[in-house]
């Protein structure tokens, strides 16, 4: 076979495949059509010739073979044919019952000494039982089939040796049984593949939804940190500027400048966060111009803004904080930012805040303590989103966050991160 012949078979195979799919769909919709067609086909090919010629014993075969069988009247012949062929209508819905009925008629027929071409129905019933029936029914079906074949071999022993007859008959029965089992296994494999494909599709959709939910949580956390902190600073500066305008206009002007700087920084951070969500319909997303994520080096500028808003911040670090990876540094920055924002919201102006970041081997500690009385507090049995966000960020690095009243007044926030390699996770 040449390459052109092989390539030319492609459309033919495609048409045959589509035709097979249409037939399977029609069979699922109207199962009786195929069963009836099988019965009609067997009747036309195997029953009608016997009715016309008076039985399978007529023909051009050896005379001794023809004389070994009994000549039945047309009514008896037709009754046996109906008993052999009609149960095939239930060969798929009740394969065991159909096989048992056909076997009974088959044995009766050979006990009467008649030979019919319609006996092929017994092999069709065995095939259907192997394909559609319960596997535990096959042993007794095979035993009944073997017994029926022995009966046939004995009845034709005058014309054919018992061994040759048994070999032919049992080979045919084995072929029918093997074909049914092969088709059954193939269908089971295809069903398993379809089920696995459906399961993988469900898992893929679940992973996609989980990734979307995770990304939404991350963006919401970033937005909370950016908007919450900067708005708190802006509100505090605006109140202080309004108060200082009449007393010290220079301080009022300075507060307005700080408000502008803080607003511009917040706007830049919002653009950075929302830039990754921007999509274009004409092609791949535009690459946003991003500024670096804030880290520990930016905490000093953060403290300067808080000082300008009216708090006194004492900031110190211990250990090699500059060598920490960017993910840890961002987590530290956001936790400090949230803690200072809460202090700015709830503490009196002029409150002293002690901020310490300590790195010891594989452990990083953050402590934010304000020493003054709070003007307001969180509800006693309710955690704000800020504390939840801090705990989520710390959990990415196997850490914990605790917050509560400090001894002697004020409020304390403590966070501990695990810097052991492999303990961190992607944000």
């Amino acid at each position: 076979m040449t390459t052109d012949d092989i390539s030319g078979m492609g459309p033919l195979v495609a048409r045959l495949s589509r035709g097979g799919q249409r037939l399977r769909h029609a069979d699922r919709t109207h199962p009786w059509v195929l069963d009836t067609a099988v019965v009609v086909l067997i009747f036309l090919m195997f029953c009608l010739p016997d009715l016309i010629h008076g039985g399978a014993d007529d023909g051009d075969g050896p005379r001794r073979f023809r004389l070994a069988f009994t000549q039945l009247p047309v009514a008896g012949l037709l009754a046996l044919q109906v008993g052999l062929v009609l149960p095939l209508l239930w060969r798929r819905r009740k394969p065991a019952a159909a096989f048992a009925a056909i076997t009974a008629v088959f044995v009766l027929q050979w006990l009467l000494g008649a030979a019919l071409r319609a006996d092929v129905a017994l092999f069709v019933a065995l095939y259907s039982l192997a394909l559609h029936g319960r596997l535990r029914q096959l042993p007794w079906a095979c035993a009944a089939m073997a017994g029926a074949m022995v009966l046939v071999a004995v009845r034709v022993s005058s014309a054919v040796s018992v061994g040759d007859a048994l070999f032919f008959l049992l080979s045919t029965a084995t072929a029918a049984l093997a074909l049914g089992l092969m088709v059954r296994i193939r269908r089971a494999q295809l069903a398993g593949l379809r089920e696995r494909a459906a399961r993988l599709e469900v898992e893929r959709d679940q992973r996609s939804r989980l990734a979307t939910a995770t990304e939404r949580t991350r963006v919401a956390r970033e937005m909370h940190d950016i908007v919450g902190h900067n708005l708190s600073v802006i509100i505090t500066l605006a109140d202080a500027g309004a108060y200082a305008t009449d007393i010290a206009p220079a301080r009022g002007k300075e507060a307005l400048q700080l408000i502008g700087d803080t607003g511009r920084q917040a706007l830049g951070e919002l653009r950075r966060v929302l830039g990754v969500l921007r999509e274009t319909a004409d092609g791949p997303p535009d690459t946003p111009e991003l500024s670096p994520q804030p880290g520990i080096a930016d905490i000093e500028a953060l403290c300067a803004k808080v000082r300008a808003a009216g708090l006194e911040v004492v900031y110190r670090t211990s250990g090699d904080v500059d060598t920490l990876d960017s993910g840890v540094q961002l987590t530290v920055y956001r936790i400090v930012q949230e803690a200072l924002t809460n202090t700015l919201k709830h503490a009196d102006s002029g409150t002293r805040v002690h901020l310490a970041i300590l790195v010891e081997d594989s452990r990083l500690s953050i402590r934010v303590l304000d020493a003054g009385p709070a003007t307001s507090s969180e509800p006693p049995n309710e955690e704000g989103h800020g504390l939840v966000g801090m705990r989520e960020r710390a959990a990415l690095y196997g850490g914990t966050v605790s917050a509560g009243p400090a001894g002697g007044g004020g409020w304390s926030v403590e966070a501990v991160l695990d810097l052991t390699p492999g303990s961190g996770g992607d944000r």
Side-chain angles (χ1 to χ4, degrees), residues 218-219 221-231 261-277 288-295 298 301-302 305 330 333-334 337 393:
R218 185 187 71 82
V219 172
R221 191 166 56 225
E222 290 284 339
M223 296 287 288
H224 174 271
D225 293 340
I226 294 170
V227 176
H229 169 76
N230 288 290
L231 281 181
D261 293 340
T262 303
R264 280 187 291 272
Q265 180 182 355
L267 183 60
E269 292 188 13
L270 284 175
R271 285 175 176 171
R272 173 180 56 78
V273 172
L274 297 178
V276 299
L277 304 178
E289 297 182 0
L290 304 179
S291 59
Q293 293 275 28
D298 301 296
L302 179 65
K305 290 183 180 180
L330 176 62
Y333 180 89
R334 293 305 188 195
Q337 183 184 49
R393 288 186 180 277

Side-chain angles (χ1 to χ4, degrees), residues 39-52:
V39 171
V40 171
L41 183 63
I42 291 178
F43 178 81
L44 294 176
M45 292 181 62
F46 300 100
C47 297
L48 195 59
D50 284 348
L51 292 175
I52 294 174

Side-chain angles (χ1 to χ4, degrees), residues 79-126:
L80 289 175
Q81 288 179 343
V82 170
L84 288 171
V85 176
L86 192 60
L88 291 179
L89 289 172
W90 295 273
R91 66 183 184 89
R92 291 193 291 181
R93 284 172 290 281
K94 296 182 179 180
F99 178 82
I102 294 174
T103 303
V105 176
F106 181 86
V107 171
L108 175 63
Q109 167 209 322
W110 282 97
L111 287 175
L112 295 175
L116 299 177
R117 293 180 178 90
D119 289 341
V120 71
L122 182 62
F123 299 102
V124 177
L126 180 62

